[in-house]
Amino acid sequence: MTDSLKIAEVFGKRHANVLRDIKSLDCSEAFNELNFELVNYLDEKGELRPKYFITQDGFTFLAMGYNGKDAAMFKESYIREFNHMRDQLAQRSPANDYLNMSDEDRAIAYFMKVKAEKAQYLILVYGLSSY
């Protein structure tokens, strides 16, 4: 979680411009509601001013539209971490995942496997496609 004031500070922008940028994002209403919460805060003069609380996903969506050195550094870091995560997931062994599951998750995985196998059997034997 962050807020629009911190984003303005980090990216060297006027807060009013960050507020404008958030209002003009071309994201769905559902995404906006989940990731941007408009609140009021007391400024140094004791006056109420608007700011947004912003989730990590909201920050990423907003920052991906920014230009400049700080934005470029964020984008490069994001891409690097995304690729690292992809590589880590590719190296995971399904057997290790199964061993690390809780008993409940293991039972659900087993049930889903049996259900998929039964559905394949019904398709092959009876030509049924809805199970």
Side-chain angles (χ1 to χ4, degrees):
M1 209 50 153
T2 189
D3 65 52
S4 52
L5 289 168
K6 188 68 173 171
I7 291 172
E9 178 186 326
V10 169
F11 285 94
K13 294 181 165 285
R14 292 183 60 238
H15 186 242
N17 292 342
V18 173
L19 295 175
R20 179 203 61 213
D21 294 343
I22 293 168
K23 289 176 188 173
S24 66
L25 286 174
D26 196 18
C27 59
S28 69
E29 187 176 322
F31 184 88
N32 188 299
E33 287 177 11
L34 288 172
N35 296 287
F36 300 94
E37 180 184 1
L38 184 60
V39 296
N40 289 314
Y41 74 99
L42 286 175
D43 69 7
E44 294 173 355
K45 297 183 214 172
E47 297 177 3
L48 282 178
R49 303 277 182 208
K51 74 173 181 178
Y52 283 91
F53 286 134
I54 304 168
T55 66
Q56 180 179 343
D57 289 345
F59 168 76
T60 301
F61 195 95
L62 177 65
M64 285 296 182
Y66 283 163
N67 296 312
K69 189 175 185 175
D70 292 327
M73 284 176 30
F74 167 74
K75 291 173 190 179
E76 287 179 18
S77 176
Y78 187 90
I79 291 166
R80 189 171 36 258
E81 288 303 314
F82 187 91
N83 290 337
H84 176 72
M85 180 179 62
R86 181 200 60 216
D87 294 343
Q88 293 296 315
L89 289 172
Q91 293 175 4
R92 284 176 43 184
S93 163
N96 286 340
D97 288 349
Y98 186 76
L99 293 173
N100 291 327
M101 286 182 182
S102 69
D103 289 340
E104 181 180 341
D105 288 342
R106 199 174 300 119
I108 292 169
Y110 176 77
F111 172 76
M112 297 302 290
K113 179 181 174 217
V114 169
K115 185 174 180 179
E117 289 170 354
K118 186 174 182 182
Q120 283 293 10
Y121 174 79
L122 292 172
I123 290 169
L124 290 172
V125 174
Y126 299 105
L128 300 175
S129 60
S130 60
Y131 168 67

